[in-house]
Structure formats: C-alpha cells, structure tokens
Amino acid sequence: MKYPSRDLTYEWGRTTPEQLSQEASALDAKILNIFAISCLIIGVITALSHNIKWDTTLIPFVVAFISFLILLVKSLWAIRPQWLFSVDSPRVLREDYWEREPEETKEEYWEWVEKDFDKNYQIVKSKGMVLVWAVPLLAIETISLVVWLFL
C-alpha cells in the first residue's frame, strides 16, 4: 500500500540535517564575532587606561575580566568540534544504495534522520544558549570597562 503522506514527509524531512548544520554554522559565526568584539573591547580599553590604581576602583575591571573569562570558556565550549549527522558521500550512496528500491532507500534514510535529529538539535540548541549568554556578558564587560576607565 502506498501512503501519499510518506513521500510528503520524506521531502520535508530530508533537508533537516543540512538545515541544522547551517544553523549550527551560523551560531558559531555569531559566537565568534561576539568573542572577537569582547577581545577588542577589553584590549582597547585596557590600553587606554593610563594610571591603574590598585584600590576599589579596580572592581569594575575585575567584573569585566570575569565576564570576559566566562565568555571565553563558553565560546570555546560552543565551537568545539561536534559531528552532526549529514548525508553520506555520493560514492557511499552509489555503492550502498544504487541497486535498492526507492522506498527501501527512503525508509533507511528516514531512520537515520529520525535517530540523529535529537542529537543534532541538542547541539544547535546548546550553541543557541551560549549565544543567549554571550550578549549579556559582552554588555556587562563593556559597561564595567567604561565605568573603570572613568574612575
């Protein structure tokens, strides 16, 4: 028996791994950009300060430096190598699936996509959570350094 919705859901779902991979790459780029801005800000403002006083006026700098360190750790954690499921190479597809029936190939591919979707989604979600933390950490760092510069 042929189910019309099977072909439709296959068409919808077959691009899911690629979409999640693109989203993970976009999040990585945003996280790296925020980290680069963070490095630039802490470097430039520290270079602009002429007289460092070792008293309570150093507290905003310490807050900024701690924010920078947290951002560093979270950024490195987010961009660490993680393997998302993606489609096999054309050579593997040809060797393993060339002679199979189309429905059999769709079923096996669908099982792969279904099995690995949760893992891929969790990777993308964790990168998104790092981005959620990165923006406020950058703001805290920037504000603390500006306050420290004018103390």
Side-chain angles (χ1 to χ4, degrees), residues 1-118:
M1 175 185 264
K2 179 137 173 108
Y3 298 101
S5 62
R6 186 176 281 177
D7 286 336
L8 185 60
T9 56
Y10 174 79
E11 287 303 315
W12 286 344
R14 73 179 175 79
T15 59
T16 302
E18 183 63 29
Q19 290 170 344
L20 288 173
S21 179
Q22 289 173 354
E23 191 168 337
S25 294
L27 288 169
D28 281 346
K30 289 174 185 176
I31 291 166
L32 284 174
N33 285 337
I34 289 174
F35 179 69
I37 291 168
S38 174
C39 290
L40 182 69
I41 289 171
I42 200 164
V44 168
I45 291 185
T46 303
L48 289 175
S49 66
H50 298 291
N51 298 326
I52 298 175
K53 301 172 191 161
W54 297 97
D55 56 8
T56 56
T57 59
L58 200 60
I59 292 173
F61 178 79
V62 171
V63 170
F65 190 70
I66 290 171
S67 296
F68 172 77
L69 288 178
I70 294 170
L71 186 57
L72 169 69
V73 169
K74 285 190 168 290
S75 297
L76 290 175
W77 181 83
I79 63 168
R80 74 190 187 281
Q82 300 180 66
W83 304 111
L84 277 75
F85 166 78
S86 60
V87 180
D88 285 324
S89 73
R91 181 186 52 78
V92 171
L93 291 174
R94 188 188 77 236
E95 290 173 1
D96 294 348
Y97 301 101
W98 192 263
E99 295 179 0
R100 289 188 184 188
E101 292 294 322
E103 287 301 315
E104 182 184 357
T105 303
K106 282 182 184 179
E107 284 293 325
E108 189 162 330
Y109 179 79
W110 190 254
E111 286 174 17
W112 289 345
V113 170
E114 188 176 15
K115 180 182 75 142
D116 291 326
F117 176 81
D118 289 334

Side-chain angles (χ1 to χ4, degrees), residues 122-141:
Q122 288 305 319
I123 290 170
V124 171
K125 186 176 177 183
S126 69
K127 290 176 185 290
M129 288 308 297
V130 168
L131 191 60
V132 165
W133 276 93
V135 173
L137 285 169
L138 179 63
I140 291 168
E141 175 189 341

